Amino acid sequence: MSVHKEVKRITTNTIQEMKQKGEKIAMLTSYDYSMATIVDEGGIDVILVGDSASNVMAGHETTLPITLDQMIYHAQSVVRAVKRALVVVDLPFGSYQGNSKEALNSAIRIMKESGAHAVKLEGGFEIRESIERIITSGIPVMGHLGLTPQSIYKFGTYTVRAKEEAEAEKLKQDIMVLQDAGCFSVVLEKIPAKLAKEVTDSIKIPTIGIGAGPHCDGQVLVINDMIGLTKGFKPRFLRQYLNLFDQINGAVQSYVKDVKRGNFPDEKEQY
């Protein structure tokens, strides 16, 4: 009789307990079944089905063009693969900013149609009503402050946010708003490490940083950047663990040569 070890799922409560214990939270993006399978089996705590799919999967310049239907498609693919990680899905631009009812409907669609475990929204005080309405319905929400890519045309640049005192003070206020509204965690993107430490120490919920220094409760990277599938994108905060672009490119070139020369398939590779 075989004994199968039960995989213990990561939940929003697990994430909050990790902060209390001082255990760092590891988070990566995934957008498809194959990659999510690898990432989940690698022991990741949280998988973000990010609207960065607009950039790395569809080739758009910004995250703005991706639709709710497309986010649900990516989320469905990821959820089918995942056995352990907490799956969080970005609400895309235009699906929640207008009013709280629209935000709730968007979040409900993601949860019902994909089977994901939580949603993520960008912004602070301005979207508090939407966050509270979603959480009241029973859907966990991860916040996102600092550089918020959906507001790129407002900022006009992807440079570090909250370097000035006024913007830093607003971020401090916003993170309290998100905590009070019921968010289970908050992503901090491209803010000074000192500020990230200050707000991380000031709240009970976990912070997950990207370009926000080592003092956050966890870290997140875009998987395509981390494994070197994207070429030429190397911001300071990115640690690239592989260079798959060059490796895959080399494999393709070798395959082309073998086909052209008649070396593939050989006798062992035919029936």
Side-chain angles (χ1 to χ4, degrees):
M1 180 175 165
S2 62
V3 178
H4 297 283
K5 186 177 179 181
E6 185 178 351
V7 177
K8 188 174 182 181
R9 278 216 179 255
I10 303 291
T11 67
T12 56
N13 188 58
T14 310
I15 297 302
Q16 293 179 319
E17 288 178 346
M18 289 172 74
K19 178 183 175 87
Q20 294 166 10
K21 296 175 183 176
E23 180 183 351
K24 294 288 188 178
I25 301 160
M27 177 166 148
L28 283 169
T29 65
S30 290
Y31 317 100
D32 64 83
Y33 178 87
S34 298
M35 187 66 76
T37 300
I38 298 169
V39 170
D40 188 53
E41 290 190 5
I44 207 72
D45 299 312
V46 185
I47 291 179
L48 173 65
V49 184
D51 58 2
S52 46
S54 179
N55 309 105
V56 299
M57 301 298 287
H60 294 296
E61 185 178 354
T62 71
T63 62
L64 274 61
I66 199 163
T67 66
L68 182 61
D69 285 341
Q70 289 168 333
M71 287 302 302
I72 290 170
Y73 166 79
H74 286 294
Q76 289 170 337
S77 302
V78 168
V79 168
R80 291 188 195 107
V82 172
K83 296 178 180 178
R84 177 182 178 272
L86 179 75
V87 179
V88 181
V89 182
D90 270 333
L91 283 184
F93 177 75
S95 69
Y96 65 94
Q97 290 94 339
N99 59 66
S100 60
K101 184 177 180 180
E102 183 176 11
L104 176 59
N105 289 338
S106 299
I108 288 173
R109 278 201 63 199
I110 284 177
M111 299 296 283
K112 283 180 68 71
E113 296 179 36
S114 76
H117 310 131
V119 296
K120 181 167 77 65
L121 286 71
E122 295 183 6
F125 176 79
E126 300 82 4
I127 61 165
R128 175 171 184 155
E129 184 180 341
S130 293
I131 291 173
E132 288 179 336
R133 194 162 189 168
I134 293 170
I135 291 173
T136 300
S137 76
I139 299 172
V141 173
M142 176 182 283
H144 185 147
L145 296 174
L147 175 64
T148 47
Q150 291 180 10
S151 302
I152 182 56
Y153 290 127
K154 173 185 174 183
F155 293 143
T157 175
Y158 285 107
T159 56
V160 177
R161 306 305 311 173
K163 290 190 293 184
E164 303 299 326
E165 186 176 347
E167 190 176 351
E169 189 60 36
K170 184 180 187 309
L171 187 143
K172 293 177 192 177
Q173 294 171 3
D174 279 340
I175 204 161
M176 289 300 182
V177 167
L178 295 181
Q179 176 175 258
D180 293 345
C183 289
F184 72 91
S185 62
V186 180
V187 168
L188 298 175
E189 181 168 357
K190 288 191 82 170
I191 66 171
K194 184 178 178 181
L195 176 61
K197 183 181 189 306
E198 183 178 349
V199 296
T200 297
D201 292 344
S202 71
I203 61 173
K204 296 178 181 179
I205 60 175
T207 61
I208 299 175
I210 176 167
H215 306 296
C216 295
D217 298 303
Q219 300 293 330
V220 60
L221 287 174
V222 171
I223 184 70
N224 297 55
D225 300 335
M226 190 271 277
I227 61 176
L229 271 175
T230 47
K231 187 177 183 181
F233 181 70
K234 293 184 178 179
R236 182 189 298 186
F237 65 80
L238 173 63
R239 181 177 295 181
Q240 188 175 304
Y241 286 79
L242 289 171
N243 183 6
L244 286 188
F245 185 96
D246 287 347
Q247 292 179 46
I248 294 173
N249 183 271
V252 171
Q253 291 183 39
S254 295
Y255 169 74
V256 170
K257 288 178 182 177
D258 286 346
V259 172
K260 298 288 187 183
R261 294 171 179 171
N263 293 334
F264 174 79
D266 61 20
E267 291 184 1
K268 297 179 180 178
E269 295 161 333
Q270 56 186 288
Y271 299 97

